[in-house]
Amino acid sequence: MGEQPIYSTRAHVFQIDPNTKKNWVPTSKHAVTVSYFYDSTRNVYRIISLDGSKAIINSTITPNMTFTKTSQKFGQWADSRANTVYGLGFSSEHHLSKFAEKFQEFKEAARLAKEKSQEKMELTSTPSQESAGGDIQSPLTPESINGTDDERTTPEVSQNSEPRAEPTQNALPFAHSSAIGKHWEAELATLKGNNAKLTAALLESTANVKQWKQQLAAYQEEAERLHKRVTELECVSSQASAVHTHKTELNQTIQELEATLKKKEEEIEKLREEIDNARELQAQRDSLTQKLQEVEVRNKDLEGQLSDLEQRLEKSQNEQEAFRNNLKTLLEILDGKIFELTELRDNLAKLIECS
């Protein structure tokens, strides 16, 4: 194949809205492969991207194109041939920078290739123009085919000059020269008629050439269209392996996602069990909360009773303290009385002894 991919990446593809020329319209539902292709037969670089079997990007890189970074992950370029603006959204800034570097590299290569092709065309066109100039002079005029009137009459003059010079030398009769003149006049009339016929034929051939040029232009357009179609089919064929690889990657991704989904379902089942346990614990907590409230109410009642008992105890202790103080006072008085009675008994005993 004449066209091979030389760099590929993945990005989301957009095109400018042809109506508003402002909004971006996505041409791919997900990230697709975007590749640089090099056509060695025509020496051109192209950017091609397929979404399935549909070509969503088919842009030939020219020296006048410019790739512009509009954000950290988005870039765009205008294609005057396709009359649109393409936009690419990348997954990272690194991929965008790499794509922009390749764009600049292939743009410079396209410029050099164009200059070389122009030089070759100039070198080949110079001798062809010289040879074509020499060929054009003879076939385009009917005089060049049958001779001009001067060329056709030259033999008449040369042949007539000899007979006309001969009367002085050979003394030919005048009637003979007159017959020769009529013969050449008839020949001249015949040549003029042929010249008119050739002129008409030339005009007809010129009209045919114009028609052939129109048909040739139509054939060239058809050939260009067929070439583009062949190129698209070649792109589809060249990207078949890439599509197969991408399909394999997608299958692996699907398997990984299925495994992840299964794990998530198991986690969800565990979470459901935990939720059920949490609901049971919530019910138990509500029951314990209710019991705790009842215990708090009873505790408050007991605290009230305890406070009452403490007050009563304190009052009883105060009364006991007062009773003790009174009893102590009474005992002191009693001790004093007992001491007085003892002294009195001693005095009485002394009095009895003395008497």
Side-chain angles (χ1 to χ4, degrees), residues 16-235:
I16 200 70
D17 190 347
N19 298 323
T20 62
K21 297 295 183 181
K22 294 181 180 179
N23 301 325
W24 289 107
V25 178
T27 56
S28 62
K29 296 181 180 179
H30 50 78
V32 296
T33 301
V34 181
S35 303
Y36 286 98
F37 278 78
Y38 174 64
D39 189 350
S40 58
T41 58
R42 295 191 300 163
N43 200 18
V44 296
Y45 294 85
R46 293 198 301 161
I47 302 173
I48 296 175
S49 178
L50 297 178
D51 188 4
S53 60
K54 178 184 178 183
I56 56 178
I57 296 179
N58 187 1
S59 178
T60 301
I61 299 176
T62 62
N64 297 328
M65 285 185 176
T66 302
F67 185 82
T68 305
K69 297 179 182 179
T70 58
S71 66
Q72 292 183 351
K73 298 181 181 180
F74 192 87
Q76 66 184 47
W77 78 96
D79 189 343
S80 59
R81 294 184 179 180
N83 194 22
T84 187
V85 179
Y86 293 103
L88 296 178
F90 295 88
S91 59
S92 65
E93 186 177 359
H94 172 72
H95 290 86
L96 173 61
S97 300
K98 187 68 175 179
F99 187 89
E101 291 175 1
K102 292 294 182 181
F103 191 97
Q104 186 65 27
E105 176 184 348
F106 299 144
K107 171 185 172 182
E108 184 66 19
R111 184 184 65 80
L112 295 176
K114 183 177 180 181
E115 291 178 355
K116 290 181 180 180
S117 63
Q118 288 178 350
E119 290 177 358
K120 290 181 180 179
M121 289 177 64
E122 290 175 357
L123 292 175
T124 55
S125 63
T126 301
S128 63
Q129 288 177 358
E130 293 176 355
S131 61
D135 296 338
I136 290 172
Q137 292 176 358
S138 59
L140 290 181
T141 60
E143 291 80 4
S144 63
I145 298 175
N146 296 308
T148 62
D149 293 339
D150 295 337
E151 292 172 348
R152 288 300 179 182
T153 56
T154 301
E156 179 184 356
V157 174
S158 61
Q159 292 179 4
N160 289 337
S161 61
E162 291 179 358
R164 289 177 183 176
E166 287 178 356
T168 59
Q169 298 175 359
N170 301 323
L172 292 176
F174 177 76
H176 179 68
S177 63
S178 178
I180 293 174
K182 289 180 180 180
H183 171 72
W184 286 114
E185 287 178 358
E187 185 70 20
L188 179 60
T190 303
L191 291 175
K192 288 182 178 180
N194 292 334
N195 191 15
K197 292 179 181 180
L198 290 173
T199 303
L202 178 62
L203 294 175
E204 183 179 358
S205 64
T206 303
N208 291 333
V209 167
K210 291 182 179 178
Q211 184 179 0
W212 294 339
K213 286 183 179 179
Q214 294 176 356
Q215 292 179 355
L216 179 61
Y219 292 153
Q220 288 177 348
E221 292 179 358
E222 182 67 16
E224 183 68 20
R225 186 185 67 82
L226 292 175
H227 181 74
K228 288 182 179 179
R229 179 59 180 168
V230 169
T231 304
E232 291 178 358
L233 292 176
E234 288 178 352
C235 294

Side-chain angles (χ1 to χ4, degrees), residues 247-257:
K247 183 178 180 181
T248 304
E249 293 177 355
L250 288 176
N251 290 331
Q252 293 178 355
T253 305
I254 290 172
Q255 292 178 357
E256 293 176 357
L257 291 174

